[in-house]
Amino acid sequence: MFTGIIEAVGTVKASERQGGDLRLHIEASELDWGDVQLGDSIATNGVCLTAVELPGNGFVADVSIETLDLTSIGQLKVGSRVNLEKAMMPKSRFGGHIVSGHVDGLGEVVSRQPDARSERFVLRAPAELAKYIAHKGSITVDGTSLTVNKVNGAEFELNIVPHTIAHTIIGDYQSGRRVNLEVDVIARYLERLLLGEKAAEPEGSAKLTESFLAENGYLR
């Protein structure tokens, strides 16, 4: 489990294809690696990766084909900057929101413009994720816990303060960039709970629709 509070920006030192999947070596000298052990999870641009080697000032991870298909990790090149967060510990301060490191889909940066000392971004989510994104709700973008300022269909707006610009890779974003999105897990559980017994039905038939909500007393 993670909080979406980025601890360091790392750099891809090596990227090697192995039998169809990928092995990544990521360095981050400013991150304290003293409490990281083999098998620990490191959120990398919001993707939960397992440390299989610990060379001292970074980690090595194997990235599966499924992760390459569903996230932007496969687009990383040697020298690419990445957001890093070590797995949350029970004694950690919970500064963001509940983040699993399991990416729900790829979004796209639509626009960026100055807003006083901050930057205002508009991102577009995949259509199937739009229902989980709410005004003033939480969303994870490349591992960073952010608050949604405005929603317009599948597009949503973010106001990024100078500290976040300086300490994450969000400062690198330009229009057209693809980013990893993880929606608030509470929204997913709420959807499942509303389905009630219908949740046990085969995939595809168990969906929240307006007629279903009306039939079950959620709408009048």
Side-chain angles (χ1 to χ4, degrees), residues 181-202:
L181 299 180
E182 181 184 333
V183 299
D184 192 345
V185 66
I186 295 175
R188 285 199 172 278
Y189 278 116
L190 179 59
E191 178 186 43
R192 196 73 174 159
L193 285 168
L194 286 173
L195 285 169
E197 294 181 358
K198 196 174 179 66
E201 295 182 7

Side-chain angles (χ1 to χ4, degrees), residues 66-184:
E66 180 172 4
T67 300
L68 293 173
D69 288 342
L70 298 177
T71 74
S72 66
I73 290 291
Q75 300 171 20
L76 297 176
K77 300 178 175 60
V78 174
S80 292
R81 296 180 353 123
V82 292
N83 288 327
L84 298 176
E85 181 189 356
K86 295 184 288 187
M88 181 182 179
M89 300 179 69
K91 64 181 180 180
S92 300
R93 178 176 293 171
F94 204 142
H97 72 282
I98 298 173
V99 177
S100 69
H102 301 153
V103 172
D104 291 304
L106 285 170
E108 181 180 348
V109 178
V110 175
S111 65
R112 171 181 181 173
Q113 64 181 25
D115 186 15
R117 293 187 305 113
S118 299
E119 296 270 353
R120 192 170 295 274
F121 290 82
V122 175
L123 276 67
R124 183 182 298 113
E128 63 272 17
L129 295 184
K131 62 183 176 181
Y132 301 111
I133 302 173
H135 177 233
K136 296 303 178 184
S138 296
I139 191 164
T140 307
V141 180
D142 278 341
T144 307
S145 172
L146 298 169
T147 299
V148 177
N149 280 0
K150 188 184 296 183
V151 178
N152 180 19
E155 293 187 354
F156 60 97
E157 190 175 282
L158 304 168
N159 187 70
I160 310 299
V161 298
H163 178 87
T164 304
I165 291 284
H167 292 89
T168 72
I169 64 170
I170 293 177
D172 301 338
Y173 290 177
Q174 298 298 333
S175 298
R177 177 156 177 157
R178 305 273 277 171
V179 294
N180 294 319
L181 299 180
E182 181 184 333
V183 299
D184 192 345

